[in-house]
Amino acid sequence: MDAVDASPLRRFVVAKSLITSIFDQLLDFVKDGSAFVDEAWRGDDLGQVAVEEQSLELQSCATKLWTIKEVLVRRHMKVAFFGRTSNGKSTVINAMLRDRVLPSGIGHTTNCFLRVEGTDADEAYLTTEASSDRRSVTTVNQLAHALHMVPTLDSGSLVKVMWPKSRCALLRDDLVLMDSPGTDVTLELDSWIDKFCLDADVFVLVGNAESTLMNTEKLFFHKVSERISKPNIFILHNRWDASVSEPEYIEEVRKQHLDRCVSFLAEELKVVSLDEAPGRIFFVSAKEVLSSRMQRAQGMPETGETGGALAEGFQERLREFQMFERTFEEFISQSAVKTKFEQHTVRAWQITEAIKAVMDAINIASANRKICCLEEREDQRDRLDFVRGQINRLTVNVKEKIKTLTDDVAAKVATALTDQIRSLPIVVEEFRADFNPTQETLALYKTKLLQHVEERLVVSLSHRCSVGVLRDIAETQRHMIDGVQPLLSPSVLDQLSAPSASFDLTYDLGLVALCADFHENIEFQFSLGWTALVGRFIGASGAKRALGAAADTRLQETSNFKDDMVVSIATGLSCVSSRASMMAMVIGGVVWRSVGWRLLALSLSLYGLLYLYEKLTWTDGSRERALKRQFVEHAAHRLRAVVPAAGSACSQQVHRELASTFSRLAQRVDLSEAELEGNIRQLSFRIQRLENIQRRSKAFRNRATELETQLEAFSVQYLQEV
């Protein structure tokens, strides 16, 4: 099998994966079904829709499936190699594995059963029947030494050799190869068969091409045939390369071996027909094949120990060995799938049929019980329909009243807050605290100012709005109670309590956050100075921009058209005054000549005295007044922006209070409905459960049918092929 192609062994791997998946689904299905049946028969209020025997039956099915699943996980394709001592059984296995896995050759005689299988581990190891301890082996010599170091091993002992799958492709496909001692070393053949052969899918008899089949070999396979119906047996005539020394007798010797083996398989054992028997017999040289494959793996020429590819007839013997491998893989995959999975498939079929019968019985019983409950419930629904209709109409009416009231609250709060914004200068002026222009004192002063203003605003809003709003809320709540009382039963009506009086409208203006960006300007500014004059003309902000533009002519893009025009005019005036200094001197001279120097000096003196007066009167009190004035302007601007939000927040509080009140009343109506309907609710619940049981029983039955379909497809694909 040196050609890279799809191995027939994959058929078993795929089939095992598929049947395991089906059993996983079936096990989960049976567990769910068992829980469902157990729930159904324990429901005393539903009547006898299921019985305990049905629950026990499904639990038994789950136990059986779990056991089968555990068996499936351990299932492998198993091939057992038998023959006389030193016929090359271990060498054949090594050639198939393409590596020296088992000890072979001079000085290495297999003295016990060796089970070779793959492991996902990176290192090879072995275990024995007497101990589960792993003994690490990395080379053939280490394996041989480990085997000889166990004194308790005999011909009936088993040693498991776990070889890394990464180092051998053949072992990746759930294949187990069983090497054995020579059939001529013991008379305990019956115990061998019972212990190691009953689960084998293929037997390979490794003979010596230099001798014919011996009675010990025939006896062994006669015993195998007595315990296993038509076992799959292959016969390998190993060491066929020895025939090269006598080429004139090759065909004659081959025919003699072939005739005897055909007679043994077809006439003595009767495991195959005369036409099929030649296809089970091969003439090979395992040592040549092993040497060739190992050299090829190492990138060396295929010379081999005895000539390899250059030996006469080697290619023909290699093709014969490859044909054996291909035929062996096809037979073992087909045989293993059938022997390992057929009985389990039949058992799964029986389980699905049993589950379908249980689900059909539950479905019929629940349907009959549901009809009785429907007839009993129909006579008691009129009163319940009336109560539900009334509560629906009341709900619509209450929602309209709540909406009207919340809209009114939002409008009242917005109007009151707008009025308070107009009186903000008075509120700020009332504030008194120590004022000092230092940074720390100013920060504390502004904090206290914010607290004062917010407290006054909240108190004023509460005085103007809360009383009327709370009165409207109480009136609406009384309307709700009057509408709900006729729908309540006497027992529920006695438990009805008045709405909570703890509700109070809160006003969270968030003034601290709104004025967080407030920055005062309490530096001295002369009233007749250039900055003040420009400010009076175009406003304080426009003046700041205009004077800044004298040094930097870049203007912000977000300015509106009017402000840009005014600032441009002021900037132009500033620039003109700078450029016309000479003209000013000329005009000054003209004035000097016209009015005289006395009047000019008097004007300048008055201007200076006014500047000095304002400078001397710019005290902390002036600074405080300036800060309050600036704060009023900033806070008023910010508060106007949040007027709608403040009204909406108060209306939401009212909405939540009224909605909560009506929700509690509606819950009382629900309790009254429950009491009025009495058995109606219980019957409805029963009907719902019975319908659910019907649905689930049908779903379980359909799922069982789906699993049967999967089992049928698996059987057709893997178990019924010719």
Side-chain angles (χ1 to χ4, degrees), residues 7 55 94 112 129 187 229 246 325 436 462 494 619 644 654:
S7 170
S55 177
N94 288 337
C112 63
E129 292 178 303
L187 297 177
S229 176
E246 298 178 353
E325 290 179 307
N436 193 296
S462 177
D494 293 339
T619 62
V654 174

Side-chain angles (χ1 to χ4, degrees), residues 600-640:
L600 183 60
L602 178 61
S603 300
L604 292 176
S605 299
L606 292 174
Y607 188 84
L609 289 173
L610 180 61
Y611 177 84
L612 182 61
Y613 171 77
E614 290 185 4
K615 182 67 174 178
L616 292 176
T617 57
W618 187 251
T619 62
D620 288 346
S622 302
R623 293 185 179 90
E624 183 179 8
R625 286 191 296 275
L627 184 145
K628 288 183 176 181
R629 184 179 64 257
Q630 295 170 15
F631 175 79
V632 168
E633 295 176 357
H634 184 83
H637 175 71
R638 295 297 188 190
L639 286 172
R640 290 189 192 98

Side-chain angles (χ1 to χ4, degrees), residues 477-706:
Q477 289 175 336
R478 282 195 298 272
H479 171 75
M480 294 179 186
I481 294 174
D482 293 341
V484 167
Q485 279 180 342
L487 305 179
L488 301 179
S489 63
S491 60
V492 177
L493 187 59
D494 293 339
Q495 301 174 4
L496 187 64
S497 59
S500 173
S502 62
F503 173 74
D504 193 13
L505 200 61
T506 59
Y507 307 90
D508 185 11
L509 300 178
L511 191 60
V512 175
L514 292 176
C515 297
D517 58 343
F518 169 68
H519 299 289
E520 72 284 350
N521 182 9
I522 58 175
E523 297 296 330
F524 172 73
Q525 292 184 356
F526 184 38
S527 60
L528 296 179
W530 176 250
T531 302
L533 293 176
V534 174
R536 290 178 184 177
F537 179 67
I538 62 175
S541 60
K544 183 177 179 181
R545 293 170 54 204
L547 294 175
D552 185 3
T553 58
R554 293 177 297 175
L555 297 177
Q556 297 181 2
E557 297 180 359
T558 58
S559 301
N560 57 45
F561 177 77
K562 181 178 178 180
D563 288 345
D564 288 345
M565 181 62 71
V566 174
V567 172
S568 299
I569 293 173
T571 305
L573 290 174
S574 175
C575 295
V576 169
S577 64
S578 299
R579 292 193 298 267
S581 59
M582 183 59 71
M583 184 177 293
M585 294 177 64
V586 174
I587 294 174
V590 172
V591 173
W592 177 277
R593 293 175 62 87
S594 300
V595 300
W597 64 271
R598 292 181 180 86
L599 182 59
L600 183 60
L602 178 61
S603 300
L604 292 176
S605 299
L606 292 174
Y607 188 84
L609 289 173
L610 180 61
Y611 177 84
L612 182 61
Y613 171 77
E614 290 185 4
K615 182 67 174 178
L616 292 176
T617 57
W618 187 251
T619 62
D620 288 346
S622 302
R623 293 185 179 90
E624 183 179 8
R625 286 191 296 275
L627 184 145
K628 288 183 176 181
R629 184 179 64 257
Q630 295 170 15
F631 175 79
V632 168
E633 295 176 357
H634 184 83
H637 175 71
R638 295 297 188 190
L639 286 172
R640 290 189 192 98
V642 299
V643 167
S648 176
C650 292
S651 68
Q652 289 177 7
Q653 295 177 49
V654 174
H655 184 275
R656 284 195 296 269
E657 173 65 15
L658 293 175
S660 175
T661 299
F662 187 71
S663 176
R664 290 192 294 271
L665 293 174
Q667 291 176 2
R668 293 296 177 181
V669 174
D670 291 340
L671 293 176
S672 182
E673 288 180 7
E675 186 175 337
L676 289 173
E677 68 184 0
N679 289 334
I680 297 178
R681 183 180 60 188
Q682 184 178 3
L683 290 171
S684 297
F685 181 64
R686 287 180 184 176
I687 291 171
Q688 182 180 359
R689 290 180 62 188
L690 290 168
E691 290 175 346
N692 185 46
I693 289 176
Q694 280 189 283
R695 276 196 307 272
R696 292 176 65 185
S697 63
K698 291 177 182 178
F700 276 111
R701 194 189 191 288
N702 294 336
R703 181 58 178 151
T705 303
E706 293 176 3

